[in-house]
């Protein structure tokens, strides 16, 4: 898609997502819900940003605003320098939902082919991408199964493969590994990190797990609820190439501690 | 699809009911021994009671006892034989007892019916491999249907019900066999020229309008309430008007059918389109899918269970509509015409023969649609089984 760039594959300063003073109020029958309030956030190309915070603090909503699935009621946001709507129409991102959302009438491989069909890719291109991404999430051999024949975790992996098959420069992932067991989660964390390193994608990643956030991210955004706000932004300067062992290092534990403190402080607003 | 999953079937008769019913069958048989089988007119014209043959009772009781004694296939076979040999002999003797059956006859019939019920229950509990299970699954409803016909025949003939009120199935069958060309012509006129074109036009139009309604929301607010009202229109009122407008030929029948089935199709399809989940729709949005792509790849497949629901309901409605419409004017051929004229001539067996053809045509039509439905909506939770 992009013309070959000469810049080094490191984190560049080009801003992919720029959010200023953004607020979102849901009008409900029981009055307005301040889902997001005065959010300021800048995400540069190649960054891996985790959103972490208690349930209901607006993580999903923020991700949906970026994806143009929800409209902000105040403030401004650009994605790749254009409005979220334009970015969506440009197919600028891939989105992994909190639930798998596979279509039950399609087999796993046809589910992964869905976005590729819509993009109008050739059959060969579709097939090679399906095979590659099924392999990435360890689902090779299940291509002819229907979603309801797989476990919840396998379905979620299929939905990740579907988002990756689009090969977007920006990945928006809403608790993609929430339904998986620890070992599979570790494996997919490593795979995702490798993919990110190799392709210089920008990732916005919602999670409830502090170790996961610290392990994956270059930046952790701690949010707090009612109204949903950015409580703290923690830079995470672990080496770009890391293995799961990094989780034992003092540096890792120190960042994890900061995140935990931030979450605690955010929670205390409630009481 | 390839796995041989054995769906758990609900037993047709609760376990604790089985033995008591066997004892009831034995009791019936024993009483039958002491009451007359039939009253036959003697040479002097006076009806004389005929004793129930002990042999018949022995066959039934032997089968009943064997079924309690042997729980396996052997018991099934003995039970089957005793019930059906008895019923067969009763059927064979039936013509002689027309209108003259006595308590012995009815008790033996009840006894063999109870045993046959046991057979069906026991068979439906059996598990076999592959095609044998398929055969068994087919045999059970057939056995059940045959017993319904048998009871009908025995009761109507044995009790001497006037044929004008209710002819026995044997007579209806004979009537069908000798009137095949007539029935075929009626079927062509009503089904092939009326029901089928009306069905295709009505369902097709309902579907197309549903797509339009979906695209133009204001139609939804205007058309759907009208649709609900129109589907409440009494066909008895509509049919004569259509005959007046479109003449006696098939076009008026097509019109009635279309009016009857258009709105069920429309309403169901619109509901089906609206049933797509929010997350599934959001997914399409993230792909920047066009309206047409979202329709063909998400909302149409998702609406299939709703659409097939309408297709099935409409197959029945269409047949009713075409037949009833013929009551209000038709050429001298057609199933509705046949029913109304032959009824007037008290040719009830021909009326019943036509009803049988209509039932057969209707259920075949419905069955074919259900078959296609199973192929298309296999993924729906209600079909996965
Ligand atoms: N469509 C909607 N209409 C009304 N209120 C909404 C809507 N979507 C979300 N909300 C509200 O906005 C707030 C933020 O919700 P959101 O789904 O973003 O939380 P979250 O941080 O993703 O939570 P979780 O970790 O449980 O997924 C909640 O209070 C929720 O009730
Ligand atoms: Mg959420």
């Amino acid at each position: 898609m992009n013309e070959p760039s000469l810049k080094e594959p490191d984190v560049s300063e080009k801003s992919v997502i720029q959010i200023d003073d953004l607020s979102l109020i849901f009008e409900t029958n029981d009055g307005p819900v301040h889902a997001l309030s005065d959010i300021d956030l800048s995400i540069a190309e190649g960054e891996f940003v985790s959103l972490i915070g208690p349930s209901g603090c607006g993580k999903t909503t923020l991700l949906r605003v970026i994806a143009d699935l929800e409209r902000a009621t105040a403030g401004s946001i650009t994605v790749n320098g254009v409005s979220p709507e334009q970015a969506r129409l440009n197919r600028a991102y891939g989105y992994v939902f909190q639930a798998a959302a596979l279509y039950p009438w399609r087999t796993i491989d046809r589910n992964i082919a869905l976005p590729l069909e819509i993009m109008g890719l050739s059959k060969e291109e579709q097939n090679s991408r399906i095979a590659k991404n099924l392999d990435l999430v360890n689902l090779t051999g299940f291509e002819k199964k229907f979603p309801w024949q797989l476990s919840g975790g396998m379905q979620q992996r299929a939905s990740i493969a579907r988002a990756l098959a689009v090969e977007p420069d920006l990945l928006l992932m809403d608790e993609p590994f929430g339904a998986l067991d620890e070992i599979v989660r570790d494996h997919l964390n490593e795979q995702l990190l490798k993919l990110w390193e190799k392709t210089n994608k920008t990732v916005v990643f919602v999670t409830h797990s502090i170790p996961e956030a610290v392990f994956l991210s270059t930046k952790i955004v701690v949010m707090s609820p009612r109204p949903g706000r950015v409580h703290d932004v923690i830079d995470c300067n672990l080496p770009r190439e890391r293995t799961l062992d990094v989780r034992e290092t003092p540096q890792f534990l120190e960042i994890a501690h900061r995140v935990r403190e931030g979450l605690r402080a955010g929670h205390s607003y409630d009481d | 699809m390839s796995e041989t999953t054995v769906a758990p079937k609900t037993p047709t008769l609760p376990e604790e009911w089985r033995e008591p019913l066997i004892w009831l069958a034995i009791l019936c048989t024993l009483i039958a021994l002491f009451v007359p089988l039939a009253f036959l007119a003697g040479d002097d014209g006076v009806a004389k009671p005929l004793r129930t043959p002990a042999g018949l009772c022995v066959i039934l009781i032997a089968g009943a006892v064997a079924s309690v004694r042997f729980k396996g296939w052997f018991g099934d076979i003995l039970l089957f034989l005793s019930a059906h040999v008895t019923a067969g002999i009763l059927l064979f003797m039936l013509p002689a007892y027309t209108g003259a059956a006595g308590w012995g006859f009815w008790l033996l019939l009840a006894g063999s019916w109870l045993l046959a019920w046991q057979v069906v229950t026991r068979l439906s509990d059996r598990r076999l491999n592959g095609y044998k299970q398929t055969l068994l699954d087919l045999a059970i409803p057939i056995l059940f249907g045959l017993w319904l016909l048998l009871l009908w025949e025995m009761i109507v003939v044995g009790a001497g019900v006037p044929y004008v009120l209710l002819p026995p199935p044997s007579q209806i069958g004979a009537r069908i066999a000798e009137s095949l060309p007539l029935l075929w012509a009626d079927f062509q006129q009503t089904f092939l020229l009326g029901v089928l074109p009306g069905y295709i036009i009505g369902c097709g139009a309902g579907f197309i309008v549903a797509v339009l309604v979906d695209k133009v929301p204001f139609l939804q607010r205007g058309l759907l309430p009208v649709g609900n009202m129109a589907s409440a229109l009494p066909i008895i009122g509509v049919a004569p008007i259509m005959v007046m407008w479109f003449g006696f030929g098939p076009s008026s029948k097509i019109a009635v059918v279309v009016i009857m089935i258009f709105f069920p199709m429309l309403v169901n399809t619109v509901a089906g389109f609206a049933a797509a989940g929010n997350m599934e729709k959001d997914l399409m949005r993230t792909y920047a899918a066009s309206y047409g792509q979202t329709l063909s790849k998400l909302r149409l497949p998702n609406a299939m269970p709703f659409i097939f629901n309408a297709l099935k309901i409409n197959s029945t409605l269409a047949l009713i509509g075409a037949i009833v419409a013929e009551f209000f004017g038709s050429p001298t051929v057609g199933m509705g015409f046949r029913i109304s004229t032959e009824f007037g001539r008290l040719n009830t067996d021909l009326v019943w023969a036509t009803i049988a053809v209509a039932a057969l045509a209707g259920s075949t039509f419905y069955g074919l649609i259900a078959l296609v439905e199973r192929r298309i909506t296999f993924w729906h939770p209600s079909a996965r089984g």
Side-chain angles (χ1 to χ4, degrees), chain A residues 249-267:
Chain A
T249 63
Q251 202 187 359
F252 183 97
L253 295 175
E254 194 203 304
I255 299 170
H257 180 72
R258 262 193 75 187
V259 176
R260 190 175 301 275
E261 291 292 295
L263 282 175
R264 282 231 182 86
H267 261 294

Side-chain angles (χ1 to χ4, degrees), chain A residues 88-91 118, chain B residues 283-290 293-294:
Chain A
R88 176 174 66 80
L89 295 177
N90 294 344
R91 300 194 173 117
I118 289 170
Chain B
L283 188 71
M284 280 298 187
R285 247 174 95 84
T286 69
Y287 300 147
S290 67
Q293 285 170 326
T294 308

Side-chain angles (χ1 to χ4, degrees), chain A residues 23 39 48 69 71-72 81 107 143 159 165 192 194 200 204 215-216 239-240 254:
Chain A
S23 296
I39 306 277
F48 197 122
L69 297 175
R71 291 274 154 86
T107 53
E143 38 283 86
S159 89
L192 181 62
K194 264 195 214 136
N200 200 35
V204 185
F215 176 66
L216 291 172
R240 231 178 124 83
E254 194 203 304

Side-chain angles (χ1 to χ4, degrees), chain A residues 64 68-69 88-89 91 93 95 97 99 101 103-106 114-115 117-118 146 148 162, chain B residues 1 3 279-290 293 297-298 301-302 378-379 384:
Chain A
R64 289 173 61 85
D68 186 41
L69 297 175
R88 176 174 66 80
L89 295 177
R91 300 194 173 117
Y93 65 83
Y95 196 108
F97 288 86
Y103 291 178
W105 51 86
R106 286 176 170 245
L114 176 72
E117 286 169 13
I118 289 170
F146 286 94
W148 31 274
R162 181 180 59 189
Chain B
M1 300 274 124
E3 300 113 304
M279 205 185 288
E280 285 75 10
K281 283 191 283 196
D282 282 344
L283 188 71
M284 280 298 187
R285 247 174 95 84
T286 69
Y287 300 147
S290 67
Q293 285 170 326
K297 292 184 194 295
L298 167 63
N302 191 67
F378 64 91
W379 51 270
R384 277 181 231 156

